[in-house]
Amino acid sequence: MSSLRDLLSVLSLTAATLGALWSPGAWIERNVVDQEGFLAITQPLAEDATLRRSLTDSAVDEALDHELVPGFVADRATPLLQEQASKVTGTEAYTEVWDRAMVEPHGALFTPGASPLDVDLSPLIDSLLTGVEDTLPLIDDLPRPGRRA
C-alpha cells in the first residue's frame, strides 16, 4: 500500500510541477510571442493620455522641424498644430501609427542584437497638416517633412 501511495505522490508532484511550468509558458506564448496577443496587451497604452500627448507632440515637432518651414511660421503654427493633435488621436492615422509602433518592438524582441525603434510619424503629420490646411483657407499645401515642395 505504501508503494502505491508513493507512486501517486510522485505522479501528483510531477503533474503539479508540469502545470506550474506550463501555465506561465502558455501565457508568454499567447501574450508575448504571438503578435496579436502582444498588440492586445499594448492596446491600453494607446488610450493613455500622456502617451498620446507625447506621440502627437513628436509629430508636431517633426512637422515643423525642417528647412521648408521658417522659424516665425513654426512659432505661429505650433499652437494650431497642437490643437489639431488632440483631434488626431481619434483618427485612423493615429491608429496606423500606433499599430506600426507596436509591431516594430515586438519583432525586435525576437531579433538578436540591437534594434533601433524608428516610428514613422508621416501619417500623423499628414493628418495634422491637413487639419491646419482645412482650418486656414489661404493655405493649400503645407510642406511635409521628407517631401519636397
Side-chain angles (χ1 to χ4, degrees), residues 15 18 45 48 80 85 102 122:
L18 290 175
L45 291 174
D48 181 45
L80 185 57
M102 290 298 104
S122 57

Side-chain angles (χ1 to χ4, degrees), residues 9-25:
S9 295
V10 168
L11 290 175
S12 296
L13 183 61
T14 303
T17 303
L18 290 175
L21 294 175
W22 175 82
S23 183

Side-chain angles (χ1 to χ4, degrees), residues 28-129:
I28 289 171
E29 168 66 29
R30 195 171 43 250
N31 296 299
V32 177
V33 176
D34 180 55
Q35 185 175 353
E36 292 301 316
F38 181 81
L39 294 177
I41 283 184
T42 60
Q43 190 56 41
L45 291 174
E47 307 302 322
D48 181 45
T50 304
L51 191 61
R52 281 180 166 187
R53 183 68 182 201
S54 175
L55 192 57
T56 56
D57 284 351
S58 295
V60 168
D61 292 344
E62 192 172 320
L64 297 174
D65 189 29
H66 57 90
E67 68 277 355
L68 298 175
V69 180
F72 70 93
V73 173
D75 293 341
R76 288 183 173 79
T78 299
L80 185 57
L81 282 170
Q82 287 173 338
E83 179 185 326
Q84 287 296 321
S86 65
K87 297 174 185 174
V88 166
T89 57
T91 66
E92 187 65 34
Y94 180 81
T95 303
E96 181 182 340
V97 168
W98 179 258
D99 288 345
R100 284 189 199 164
M102 290 298 104
V103 166
E104 200 168 315
H106 177 264
L109 283 172
F110 305 105
T111 304
S115 298
L117 176 61
D118 295 323
V119 178
D120 179 18
L121 296 174
S122 57
L124 206 55
I125 292 168
D126 192 49
S127 184
L128 284 170
L129 295 178

